[in-house]
Amino acid sequence: MDKQTEIELQAAAFRRLQEHLMEDRTDVQNIDMMNLAGFCRNCLARWYQEAANEKGIEMGKDEAREIFYGMTMDEWKANYQTDASPEKQAAFKVAFEENVLKKG
């Protein structure tokens, strides 16, 4: 497979993952994703931002999240986010430490 086709397939897979998380499974909470998989929608937005910055494109966290979510974080939270139990919050602290803070 040539490099351009590989890039196009990767981009298509990313778009499908984004669609799945933002349209098909809005019921799945970020905290659950982080606790189980070590990443969430915010991580995907951050990786998007990092890729843009590496290409010399100035993009902040809020802008990247709005691009990924298709809305502001306040809108997302109001429409889809639910309260997390104390147990989920404790597990999140561990997952965030292991998967975000240690990775830089």
Side-chain angles (χ1 to χ4, degrees), residues 64-81:
R65 284 183 176 179
E66 192 165 339
I67 290 168
F68 186 82
Y69 281 79
M71 63 186 76
T72 66
M73 281 301 301
D74 287 340
E75 291 172 309
W76 174 265
K77 288 177 182 180
N79 290 323
Y80 303 109
Q81 188 166 308

Side-chain angles (χ1 to χ4, degrees), residues 26-34 41 80-82 88:
T26 56
D27 61 310
V28 176
Q29 298 295 301
N30 279 340
I31 197 167
D32 295 324
M33 292 175 61
M34 181 61 82
R41 293 171 183 89
Y80 303 109
Q81 188 166 308
T82 61
K88 285 183 181 183

Side-chain angles (χ1 to χ4, degrees), residues 21-83:
L21 294 173
M22 304 313 297
E23 296 176 23
D24 301 339
R25 293 304 310 265
T26 56
D27 61 310
V28 176
Q29 298 295 301
N30 279 340
I31 197 167
D32 295 324
M33 292 175 61
M34 181 61 82
N35 291 348
L36 291 172
F39 79 98
C40 67
R41 293 171 183 89
N42 292 335
C43 295
L44 290 165
R46 180 173 45 88
W47 298 337
Y48 187 92
Q49 174 195 0
E50 290 170 355
N53 294 162
E54 286 174 11
K55 290 281 194 185
I57 301 167
E58 288 293 322
M59 181 181 296
K61 176 175 74 173
D62 291 338
E63 183 181 0
R65 284 183 176 179
E66 192 165 339
I67 290 168
F68 186 82
Y69 281 79
M71 63 186 76
T72 66
M73 281 301 301
D74 287 340
E75 291 172 309
W76 174 265
K77 288 177 182 180
N79 290 323
Y80 303 109
Q81 188 166 308
T82 61
D83 291 334

